[in-house]
Amino acid sequence: MALTGRAALLALLGTLAVLFAPQPAPAVAGVALLLLALIAVDLLLAAGVRQLRFTRSGDRLIRLGESATVELIVENPGPRRARGLLRDAWPPSAGTAPRRLPLDVPAGERRRLITTLTPTRRGDREAVTVTVRTLGPLGIAARQGSHRVPWSVRVLPPFLSRKHLPAKLSRLRELEGQHPSMVRGQGTEFDSLREYVAGDDVRSIDWRATARRNDVVVRTWRPERDRRVLIVLDTGRTSAGRVGTAPVPLAGEMPGTGGLYGGAAVVPGWPRLDWSMDAALLLAALAARAGDRVDFLAYDRAVRAWVSGASRTELLSSLVNTMAPLEAELVEADSAGMVAAILARAKRRSLVVVLTDLNAASLEEGLLPMLPQLSARHLVLLAAVSDPQVAAMAAGRGTPELVYNAAAAEHQNAGRRRITARLRRQGVEVVDAAPEQIAPALADAYLALKAAGRL
């Protein structure tokens, strides 16, 4: 049972009447009995909440930044009209609107209520409870109860870097020989013959075809297809750090300028994990279009996710569904275990792309000593998201505090340069880019390896 604002108002009026009554004692008893009678009658005439039935329908999958619509159908099989308020409770990060809905369901009928979710985080958002308060005809007393009506909405990574995909695919088509530009190099396949032009490598001349045509003819080549690409996502503690800005159109978030993507609220600091996911999705889409087989591994101290054998048409769907519930674990990544997991899954020579942080201390104690056994069997590319705030701090001057911050930032930058040089001496390709640039920079590194004939 719950009392409403009307009951409080009646109690106030009753108190005033008692104060001005000539005989307060009998008046108090009379007012109290009258209020109790009204409350009891109103409560008895209010519709029961336990008998209400609920079913849900609506969206199950959305991308971060989009809104989902969830319908709640309320059926009233009882003999009285159910009138009052309904609260459909979800986690705060689900971005529920409206929070409370008016309820009016005649006896034996049903009504459809709509809740809009605009989530602010990836992952699965589960409905909590549906709480209903039904009022009596006088509106001074109400019945209240809660129901479990399960429903979940999976919030997928937004894949903002897909805007770069057309330009990268155009470059890929050039490498594959669909445009006039051809490539030659180790590990390539013969494509076609064409006339010699100035600047062509004389070693590509096909002498037999030249003799038949009475003109100099050269072979053109294209990168081999069906290469293996294994994308490894480090979900350890360093992936939890927030860097850059997250341009996602969210309702009710901090106001922003629109930033890089225009028209979106700028939410400070996506985790490195989310930027790495965005880069992984662009690389996977590009490699799949190139005919390469793409596998995905998420690891910190155990395998958190594994995608293997997905077809080109199913790859992106599998990846975003697998990535959606992943969260950074606040533990140091087990580099030995990660390398062992890679070697156990990548039997053939592959391009292994490790998305992690260029943290000098962590790499020197963890991954760096394990790289020789990995690079002996595979081509290794390490990609890391840098922090733009560190670059801004390095340029600070004018006050002792700014100079101190600049010295600390420069010390960190020097550590990244040192570890990058050590990795390259071990034959590891390195991509170190700002959050908004990591995805296209990684795709460019992949295309450069294709162009050089290293894939």
Side-chain angles (χ1 to χ4, degrees):
M1 183 189 78
L3 297 179
T4 65
R6 290 186 183 181
L9 180 60
L10 286 176
L12 177 62
L13 293 176
T15 302
L16 293 174
V18 167
L19 291 176
F20 292 102
Q23 295 182 344
V28 169
V31 169
L33 288 174
L34 178 61
L35 284 177
L36 287 175
L38 291 174
I39 290 172
V41 170
D42 208 34
L43 189 62
L44 286 173
L45 296 178
V49 295
R50 292 185 179 180
Q51 63 189 0
L52 298 177
R53 299 172 185 169
F54 302 88
T55 55
R56 289 190 188 272
S57 63
D59 297 326
R60 287 280 194 179
L61 291 174
I62 59 169
R63 292 190 182 276
L64 182 63
E66 298 176 346
S67 294
T69 300
V70 178
E71 296 181 350
L72 180 68
I73 298 176
V74 184
E75 183 179 356
N76 179 17
R80 297 188 182 92
R81 187 185 197 96
R83 181 176 58 87
L85 291 173
L86 180 145
R87 181 175 183 267
D88 191 2
W90 291 73
S93 60
T96 310
R99 295 184 178 275
R100 291 178 176 82
L101 296 163
L103 181 68
D104 190 358
V105 186
E109 296 187 16
R110 61 178 63 183
R111 292 291 185 268
R112 177 182 284 107
L113 304 178
I114 296 177
T115 300
T116 301
L117 307 180
T118 308
T120 58
R121 294 176 58 190
R122 283 182 299 101
D124 295 328
R125 298 292 167 264
E126 305 278 351
V128 183
T129 56
V130 174
T131 302
V132 179
R133 176 180 290 181
T134 57
L135 299 172
L138 300 177
I140 60 175
R143 301 189 185 199
Q144 182 168 309
S146 296
H147 298 257
R148 288 283 300 168
V149 189
W151 192 262
S152 65
V153 176
R154 173 157 286 190
V155 186
L156 306 176
F159 191 16
L160 298 175
S161 62
R162 65 184 178 272
K163 68 173 190 175
H164 298 289
L165 189 57
K168 306 308 176 186
L169 289 176
S170 177
R171 174 60 179 152
L172 178 64
R173 286 192 293 269
E174 292 180 1
L175 296 179
E176 289 183 332
Q178 296 178 15
H179 284 207
S181 174
M182 299 293 179
V183 299
R184 291 177 294 276
Q186 182 181 2
T188 57
E189 293 179 344
F190 173 73
D191 182 72
S192 61
L193 297 172
R194 62 170 174 81
E195 294 182 358
Y196 175 88
V197 296
D200 282 336
D201 190 341
V202 295
R203 291 175 295 181
S204 65
I205 296 175
D206 189 319
W207 296 106
R208 291 186 179 180
T210 296
R212 289 195 300 269
R213 297 189 183 184
N214 294 323
D215 198 0
V216 180
V217 177
V218 296
R219 298 186 185 95
T220 59
W221 309 82
R222 62 183 175 186
E224 290 184 32
R225 303 178 72 84
D226 196 30
R227 289 293 189 177
R228 305 296 180 96
V229 179
L230 174 57
I231 302 174
V232 182
L233 186 64
D234 179 1
T235 57
R237 66 170 184 84
T238 57
S239 65
R242 293 181 175 270
V243 293
T245 55
V248 178
L250 301 175
E253 289 293 331
M254 296 177 63
T257 60
L260 181 66
Y261 295 89
V266 177
V267 184
W270 258 6
R272 279 193 172 89
L273 182 64
D274 289 64
W275 292 113
S276 297
M277 285 181 180
D278 199 52
L281 289 172
L282 180 61
L283 175 61
L286 183 60
R289 295 289 185 91
D292 294 339
R293 171 178 167 173
V294 180
D295 296 333
F296 172 78
L297 172 69
Y299 194 96
D300 42 71
R301 301 192 73 84
V303 175
R304 300 298 175 187
W306 170 242
V307 176
S308 178
S311 66
R312 191 179 83 172
T313 55
E314 298 173 348
L315 178 62
L316 280 181
S317 176
S318 299
L319 286 179
V320 294
N321 271 288
T322 301
M323 290 176 176
L326 288 177
E327 296 291 345
E329 299 291 331
L330 300 182
V331 295
E332 196 70 42
D334 178 10
S335 300
M338 180 187 291
V339 171
I342 293 170
L343 295 176
R345 287 163 172 77
K347 302 296 185 182
R348 291 175 50 182
R349 182 169 178 82
S350 309
L351 170 63
V352 177
V353 180
V354 181
L355 289 149
T356 185
D357 183 29
L358 273 180
N359 184 294
S362 296
L363 287 177
E364 287 172 349
E365 296 177 3
L367 188 59
L368 197 61
M370 309 301 301
L371 280 176
Q373 58 177 301
L374 188 61
S375 57
R377 291 177 51 182
H378 304 287
L379 176 59
V380 181
L381 190 157
L382 190 146
V385 182
S386 62
D387 189 350
Q389 189 174 1
V390 174
M393 287 172 59
R397 299 293 186 273
T399 67
E401 182 181 359
L402 291 176
V403 171
Y404 179 84
N405 290 341
E410 188 55 41
H411 177 74
Q412 182 173 338
N413 289 336
R416 294 178 78 91
R417 290 192 295 268
R418 184 182 70 254
I419 201 69
T420 298
R422 289 188 62 182
L423 289 167
R424 286 174 174 158
R425 284 197 297 269
Q426 293 191 19
V428 177
E429 298 292 325
V430 179
V431 175
D432 185 15
E436 293 84 358
Q437 300 302 321
I438 185 64
L442 182 57
D444 288 339
Y446 168 80
L447 292 172
L449 292 172
K450 283 276 191 186
R454 297 181 63 187
L455 288 181

